[in-house]
Amino acid sequence: MPLALLALAVGAFGIGTTEFVMMGLLPDVADDLNISIPSAGHLVSAYALGVVIGAPLLAAVTARMSRRTVLIGLMGLFVAGNALSALAPDNGWLLAARFLSGLPHGAFFGVGAVVATNMVAPERKARSVSLMFLGLTVANVVGVPVATLVGQQLGWRATFLGVSAIGLAAIAALAFLIPQDHEHATAKGLRGELAALRSVPVWLSLGTTVAGFGALFAAYSYITPMLTDAAGYTGASATLLLALFGVGATAGNLLGGRLADHSLRGTLFGGLGALVAVLALFPLLMRTEITAAVAVILLGMAAFATGSPLQLMVMDKAASAPSLASSANQAAFNLANAGGAWIGGLALAAGFGVTSPALAGAALAVLGLGVASLAYAVDRRTAPAGGRERVVASHVPQEAEAVRR
């Protein structure tokens, strides 16, 4: 694997840290800015809104630019957003800064996935994507806890200054390790990228992402009350257990990338099936502390084993213009975050019990399997006779050959 993937992982680490750290800093931010906790919670929504809007928009408007330049520019926007967050004088400015911080998120992962797959041989494409996503999963194990601790000890503004420093390190890594390329992201430019979104298979792939990861967030959004009220953990212990989710997500991400290089759809169906099973068993697993800890690990593994396959599936269905579709998949991931949490909350509000969000998640995972099966049926119906499923373009671009040299 080329060392250039490290630069993408560093950027992903910074993005993952800033995305999730706000949840741990909400009380500190609310107290400092004299706002309520629910009002501070809008800062999480502002970031997610930035991701959903920025992912397709920035990917589209940069369609004819060098991907290396785009990645560096996106990380520069990320640094600016986090620096402005640290300097925000009031809640309004902080909302705007968090929105700005979220804008480059989806486009960075989308364009980064295209760059990652173009730097390796065809049989290693899924693993290259999983190594970029490794920065995101490691952020949940290391970055978020450390950043939260820094914010609690030195003030929440110090956290965002620290994240800005990570962004600057990512810019340096991108400039030094990503090969100089003068190839446009697509020969068709903006029109070609937008045409990719008229494809039914692309929308089916995006729908699988929304349903599959919606299943994860339906349960994970309420994992703390499950651990305390059902499994019997204290609040502090439950917070520490969340690191186990990151460990499981990291393992699942790496395993999914390796397996997807051998069977893309097999890995996707297997991951979604495992997610259905884990979530369906949550009411039983949450009865003891030991089995609850196992459940948290398995949830991370099953969900993130589907990350690389879903990303490559979208890129495959928009092979002539993958950047916009790949970025749109990140927007779908954040829609899954919001929608899954809402559906899990409905189950709780209906009085079905503290573990009911997991069962709602299991239903969403079944829906994801259904959409994935429909996508498979459409592919088989439209595939040329004697053809076989293609993951991504099988050629190795010039930048890949340059990296290997």
Side-chain angles (χ1 to χ4, degrees), residues 55-75:
L57 178 64
L58 293 179
V61 300
T62 60
R64 288 192 176 276
M65 296 175 61
S66 157
R67 292 175 184 140
R68 177 177 181 271
T69 301
V70 171
L71 288 171
I72 293 174
L74 291 172
M75 194 49 58

Side-chain angles (χ1 to χ4, degrees), residues 74-86 97 100-101 164:
L74 291 172
M75 194 49 58
L77 186 60
F78 169 82
V79 171
N82 281 279
L84 289 173
S85 295
L100 180 64
S101 300
S164 298

Side-chain angles (χ1 to χ4, degrees), residues 382-400:
T382 59
R388 64 181 181 88
E389 187 184 32
R390 176 174 53 85
V391 175
V392 285
S394 60
H395 70 282
V396 181
Q398 293 181 352
E399 61 261 39

